[in-house]
Amino acid sequence: MVTPFTAADKPDYPAIRNMVEWYIENGCDGIFAVCQSSEMFFLSLAEKRDIAACVVDSVGGRIAVVVSGHTADSLDEQKAEIESMARVRADAYVLVSNRLAREDEGEAVFVKNASALFKTFPDIQFGMYECPYPYKRLVTTEFLLECARGKRLSFFKDTCCDPDRIRERAAALGAPSSLALFNANAATILESLIAGYAGYNGVMANYHPRLYAWLVANFALQPVKSRKLADLLTVLALSEARCYPITAKYHFNKCAVPMSLNSRGADVAGFTINDRLGMDALIAVEEMAWEYLGLS
């Protein structure tokens, strides 16, 4: 979920509530709020909590909501973040893997810090996200398996973009598992679903979640159409690099969810006429896909 801002650079709560309805109407089974797309590294702790509370309240139990906001460096600061966000009562609080150890620190430090948070908050349901900013820390399959056995993680956002690692993770956890794996990468989405992943949780769900929802529901029933759709989604996902998240905010405006293009993490001056034309074309292709592929 992206964060819309007002002209005064405050979170736009009416727009957030409208976004929630758009996600639900377009087939989303859940929302990941206060994540990297939400510009969480540029939000105050109070803003993180208030945005999460707005989403949970707007959803009203209709679909799942997981939240993060896990951006602090020290464990003590991270504990304060968790305590604040836990008041929102989302379905899970999502830890960011690169916050649990510096880039130059090994697996032992990562496991020690994760275990410390698990021990401090035994009653909180956690998730984990391999956020690529400020650096990407991939977690081991062994760590995921231990977390599943101990029921300390229920949600995992995978950004490895590696079909072999995806299959390894899915095979190790088995199905069904208390830990649901979600792929953030469009190019490997079909392979991950076939392997046993629960679904897609990535940037492009801010543009055409209906197409991903169709794929998740039909990949086993209609394999030929699913392969064609997966190929199309892979190409469309190349637009991720175009001035995100401003492109997503422009796209929401074109889809009757009004909001400003303001961003704290990207310069709106870098949003060019070519970016606008690209988003207009993306919307047209989304609609054509239903007719061209004969999706129903």
Side-chain angles (χ1 to χ4, degrees):
M1 185 176 198
V2 301
T3 297
F5 295 103
T6 66
D9 195 35
K10 303 293 183 182
D12 185 344
Y13 295 102
I16 290 172
R17 287 190 283 272
N18 288 337
M19 287 172 63
V20 166
E21 297 306 318
W22 184 87
Y23 286 129
I24 293 173
E25 290 168 3
N26 282 274
C28 292
D29 297 302
I31 293 174
F32 185 3
V34 198
C35 56
Q36 187 185 5
S37 286
S38 313
E39 305 179 66
M40 67 177 176
F41 286 91
F42 303 95
L43 298 171
S44 70
L45 181 53
E47 288 174 330
K48 294 173 186 177
R49 185 185 61 247
D50 291 346
I51 290 169
C54 180
V55 174
V56 170
D57 180 67
S58 299
V59 165
R62 290 176 289 172
I63 60 175
V65 178
V66 299
V67 303
S68 185
H70 182 211
T71 60
D73 293 321
S74 75
L75 273 185
D76 285 342
E77 291 175 307
Q78 291 175 25
K79 289 175 183 177
E81 288 176 335
I82 295 170
E83 287 173 348
S84 179
M85 297 297 284
R87 301 174 200 161
V88 174
R89 299 189 182 279
D91 293 290
Y93 177 83
V94 183
L95 299 171
V96 172
S97 58
N98 64 43
R99 301 292 80 204
L100 298 173
R102 297 193 308 268
E103 191 168 7
D104 62 348
E105 292 178 323
E107 180 68 10
V109 174
F110 169 84
V111 172
K112 177 183 177 182
N113 289 334
S115 299
L117 293 181
F118 291 156
K119 184 177 180 180
T120 303
F121 301 102
D123 297 325
I124 291 180
Q125 184 62 68
F126 285 103
M128 188 162 288
Y129 169 27
E130 293 175 325
C131 181
Y133 177 87
Y135 83 96
K136 185 186 289 191
R137 174 177 282 272
L138 299 180
V139 305
T140 66
T141 299
E142 291 73 21
F143 176 80
L144 288 177
L145 187 56
E146 285 303 311
C147 288
R149 287 170 176 163
K151 299 189 184 300
R152 291 319 326 260
L153 295 180
S154 61
F155 167 89
F156 180 69
K157 180 170 178 174
D158 181 322
T159 68
C160 74
C161 309
D162 180 344
D164 290 336
R165 189 185 289 260
I166 285 169
R167 285 188 285 267
E168 176 188 285
R169 288 171 166 178
L173 266 65
S177 171
S178 60
L179 172 51
L181 303 175
F182 288 84
N183 189 357
N185 176 242
T188 55
I189 181 60
L190 182 56
E191 284 71 22
S192 68
L193 293 173
I194 292 170
Y197 274 45
Y200 174 75
N201 186 259
V203 164
M204 298 309 292
N206 283 303
Y207 302 89
H208 36 252
R210 285 193 308 152
L211 295 178
Y212 284 97
W214 187 95
L215 186 65
V216 171
N218 293 282
F219 75 92
L221 302 173
Q222 301 191 53
V224 176
K225 285 185 180 180
S226 293
R227 172 51 64 187
K228 291 180 179 178
L229 176 56
D231 290 341
L232 175 63
L233 292 172
T234 298
V235 174
L236 295 181
L238 297 176
S239 64
E240 282 186 36
R242 299 188 70 93
C243 205
Y244 185 78
I246 295 172
T247 46
K249 296 178 182 185
Y250 177 82
H251 192 287
F252 273 113
N253 275 285
K254 300 291 285 190
C255 294
V257 186
M259 67 182 67
S260 79
L261 300 185
N262 293 345
S263 169
R264 294 182 184 174
D267 185 358
V268 71
F271 183 61
T272 68
I273 184 63
N274 281 331
D275 293 323
R276 295 174 186 267
L277 292 173
M279 287 299 101
D280 292 342
L282 185 70
I283 292 171
V285 171
E286 291 164 3
E287 294 304 318
M288 286 189 291
W290 291 93
E291 179 178 357
Y292 174 70
L293 293 175
L295 306 181
S296 61

